[in-house]
């Protein structure tokens, strides 16, 4: 039987998106389940129930090549989700094997930024590129890097935790990892909220954000305010872009990519954020690199890029057999 | 005729080393010429004259597969030496084509750190590794990075100028590139001399280095003093190791290599330098990376690693035909 579909799964921290993808990279049907079940068995059951419906709609399991799935700290080599405190059932969980046994399909695991990079390379803004770095800016900051047309998985696990590179800002801001001044402490959604709270205290600027109780302030509030022209909210994105641009100028001296691709909620923000990134990037760049590398934003919904990228794992590989 | 030898050439800033390498990676004969000729034609003639003797000793040109050559800012894709101000004849020089025409052999160009990484992967301390980063610490600081068993050349040119990553030290020390606080400004031989001069002023410590006129102080003086137990010289290496260790802890969050391999004059220094690097590396490392990546020093003479690495280019590729 010719396999005409592959399944891509984006395991987010709260929501898991599931898609059936055809050989041309069209997501022909989608569904979602919540991620934060207390027990892994309940979570797997939920995926199974939703996927069964989608699979039947396409004519049954015989038409399905396999499953690719992404998770924060998903280890491509072992198929295990390792040290992902955001999942209550985490702790070296062999998610690929569990899913393969349940669904009787081969399953390959990776992490979200790698999956998004694969999706962008095959179907998105990175088509034709062999050397690029995708930075996923969301509640976490991760990177998917492609060199010589291949994902850099690195040695063993954990390649891509670029959110924990130290940035050139000595505020001493504590990161979730316990260290100080990591990229993620500034350029994630939480980092942007922290910057806003700090600025609301240190600045006298009027701002609509002052009307929102501190513990209810969201990234979306700040984004919306910036779009409406709120000076303080715009300053938050300028500050954040300045840090990110400098980091990109350092990364270029490391691997000389053709482009940086920014994806995720934070990247979808606004043009003064992009201007601030570009300005800081160029100011800090080694002269010989000027004009060589573009900073682009993904034009695929992040979750779709991940579904597409994980579906490619299903087409290309069968690391964990049912 | 079976090709039994390849030629590797390490074009240093002042000296060019030439080696004939057999299929097993033995450098069976070597020679050297100076690099800093006024005109490229004189330089090529010198290489030709020395190489002709070596080639004849092995039975003639029919036994030679080709030539690999490395240069600072050597562009693998174009075969040109670009923007290398240390060569008087520099300025987008098509060195691979010129050599190929003169010697009637195929020539492939790369840069020194990439060549050293290839040499280490095939014949040295990185044998069996598919993901590692070599840092060449000399009068320049460059990196050769291997991911998925392949050199990361990056987009177009200039991959590997990691000496110009900004380090977490805000002394404002001016780098040769004109920017401030680059890695190379601290961890090159010149950087170490600068640190020593600063420390000789700011510290009251007695030191044998105080007997040497400032403008005569060399890296070798400082190295020798540190080996003899001179506290100020040891402090120079501790300070330098602290900066380098922190940078390595950031690079690991980027590409998760199996090992960092330090090569070049500065890396061959001494055990308290290595201790300082290791200490700073571990102190700054994201917890999940602890124990995953080794810091090693090359045990091949840097120039030999480059000759071996460039000879591999000759075995594997023929980018520029005679």
């Amino acid at each position: 039987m010719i396999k005409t579909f592959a399944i891509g799964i984006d395991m987010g921290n709260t929501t898991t998106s599931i898609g059936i993808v055809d050989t041309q990279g069209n997501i022909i049907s989608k569904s979602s389940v919540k991620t934060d079940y207390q027990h892994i068995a309940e979570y797997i059951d939920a995926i199974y129930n939703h996927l069964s419906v989608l699979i039947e709609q396409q004519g049954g399991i015989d038409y399905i090549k396999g499953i690719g799935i992404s998770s924060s700290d998903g280890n491509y080599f072992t198929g295990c989700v390792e040290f992902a405190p955001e999942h209550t059932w985490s702790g070296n969980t062999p998610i690929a094997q569990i899913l393969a046994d349940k669904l009787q399909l081969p399953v390959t695991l990776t992490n979200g930024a790698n999956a998004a990079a694969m999706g962008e390379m095959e179907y998105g803004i990175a088509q034709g590129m062999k050397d690029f770095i995708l930075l996923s800016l969301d509640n976490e900051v991760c990177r998917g890097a492609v060199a010589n047309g291949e994902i850099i998985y690195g040695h063993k696990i954990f390649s891509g935790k670029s959110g924990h590179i130290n940035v050139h800002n000595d505020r001493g801001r504590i990161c979730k990892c316990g260290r100080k001044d990591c990229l993620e402490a500034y350029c994630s959604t939480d980092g942007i909220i922290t910057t806003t709270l700090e600025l609301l205290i240190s600045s006298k600027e009027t701002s609509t954000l002052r009307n929102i109780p501190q513990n209810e302030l969201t990234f979306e509030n700040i984004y919306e305010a910036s779009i409406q022209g709120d000076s303080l909210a715009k300053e938050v994105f300028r500050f954040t872009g300045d840090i990110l641009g400098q980091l990109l100028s350092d990364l270029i001296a490391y691997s000389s990519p053709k482009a940086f691709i920014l994806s995720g909620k934070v990247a979808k923000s606004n043009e003064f954020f992009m201007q601030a990134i570009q300005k800081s990037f160029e100011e800090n760049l080694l002269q010989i690199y000027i004009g060589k590398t573009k900073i682009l934003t993904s034009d695929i919904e992040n979750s779709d890029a991940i579904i597409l990228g994980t579906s490619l794992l299903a087409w290309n590989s069968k690391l964990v057999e049912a």
Side-chain angles (χ1 to χ4, degrees), chain A:
Chain A
M1 181 88 62
I2 294 169
K3 307 293 187 186
T4 42
F5 303 109
I7 293 164
I9 303 179
D10 167 23
M11 188 196 298
N13 290 348
T14 54
T15 303
T16 294
S17 302
I18 302 165
I20 305 263
V21 183
D22 70 13
T23 54
Q24 306 301 306
N26 301 302
I27 300 173
I28 56 169
S29 63
K30 269 167 85 170
S31 186
S32 66
V33 301
K34 71 170 190 171
T35 305
D36 49 352
Y37 283 93
Q38 194 64 31
H39 299 290
I40 181 76
E42 298 172 274
Y43 176 58
I44 297 293
D45 282 345
I47 292 178
Y48 177 81
N49 293 336
H50 281 248
L51 251 182
S52 297
V53 175
L54 298 183
I55 290 171
E56 279 313 307
Q57 285 170 354
Q58 305 312 324
I61 200 167
D62 290 346
Y63 293 94
I64 308 291
K65 171 77 174 171
I67 299 174
I69 182 165
S70 82
S71 164
S72 175
D73 290 328
N75 184 333
Y76 174 76
F77 297 107
T78 64
C80 292
V81 175
E82 300 176 1
F83 306 97
E86 51 276 17
H87 307 314
T88 50
W89 43 263
S90 176
N92 221 18
T93 304
I95 189 88
Q97 189 65 59
I98 294 171
L99 261 183
D101 290 344
K102 182 80 177 182
L103 284 146
Q104 293 295 303
L105 283 167
V107 178
T108 309
L109 175 70
T110 189
N111 67 45
N114 283 341
M118 291 177 70
E120 297 289 353
M121 180 161 56
E122 189 72 22
Y123 303 117
I125 201 161
Q127 280 178 71
M129 291 187 197
K130 293 194 156 190
D131 294 272
F132 68 94
I133 296 170
L134 178 139
L135 272 182
S136 166
L137 307 166
D138 234 303
N139 54 343
E140 285 183 282
V141 174
C142 301
R143 75 102 186 95
V146 170
N148 300 311
E150 283 186 70
I151 293 283
I152 301 181
Y153 285 109
H155 171 59
K156 291 188 178 166
I157 48 173
F158 302 130
S159 180
K161 293 194 85 67
S162 299
H164 300 285
I165 292 178
N166 198 294
V167 295
H168 303 284
N169 194 296
D170 55 0
R171 295 194 164 211
R173 188 181 288 183
I174 304 292
C175 179
K176 273 181 280 185
C177 73
R179 291 144 76 244
K180 286 180 188 168
D181 296 318
C182 291
L183 177 65
E184 188 168 300
Y186 295 93
C187 296
S188 63
T189 48
D190 280 355
I192 285 171
I193 293 170
T194 303
T195 300
T196 306
L197 294 174
E198 285 180 3
L199 208 56
L200 283 168
I201 293 165
S202 66
S203 154
K204 301 284 183 208
E205 192 94 43
T206 59
S207 170
T208 56
L209 298 172
R210 296 192 189 277
N211 306 326
I212 303 169
Q214 275 203 10
N215 58 3
E216 291 178 16
L217 188 69
T218 64
F219 172 79
E220 286 73 14
N221 297 145
I222 303 159
Y223 170 66
E224 198 50 46
S226 75
I227 294 294
Q228 299 299 326
D230 186 281
S231 299
L232 189 137
K234 286 166 76 174
E235 173 57 20
V236 168
F237 282 104
R238 194 210 54 72
F239 171 86
T240 310
D242 188 53
I243 289 173
L244 186 55
Q246 184 160 1
L247 181 90
L248 298 185
S249 76
D250 276 343
L251 284 186
I252 209 173
Y254 175 70
S255 76
S256 187
K258 180 164 185 174
F260 291 107
I261 295 166
L262 306 181
S263 75
K265 213 184 263 184
V266 176
K268 298 238 181 292
S269 50
N270 49 54
E271 75 188 74
F272 31 83
F273 183 45
M274 288 306 293
Q275 283 166 1
I277 296 168
Q278 190 71 39
K279 181 166 180 284
S280 162
F281 177 63
E282 287 175 12
E283 279 172 3
N284 289 291
L285 206 55
L286 190 61
Q287 204 183 349
I288 56 167
Y289 287 121
I290 289 174
K292 300 276 193 314
T293 296
K294 289 180 182 160
I295 303 173
L296 307 170
T297 49
S298 166
D299 46 17
I300 312 178
E301 189 66 43
N302 195 35
S303 177
D304 284 359
I306 293 175
I307 286 175
L308 290 172
T310 48
S311 77
L312 289 167
L313 288 177
W315 289 119
N316 298 335
S317 179
K318 298 193 296 182
L319 275 187
V320 177
E321 292 282 352

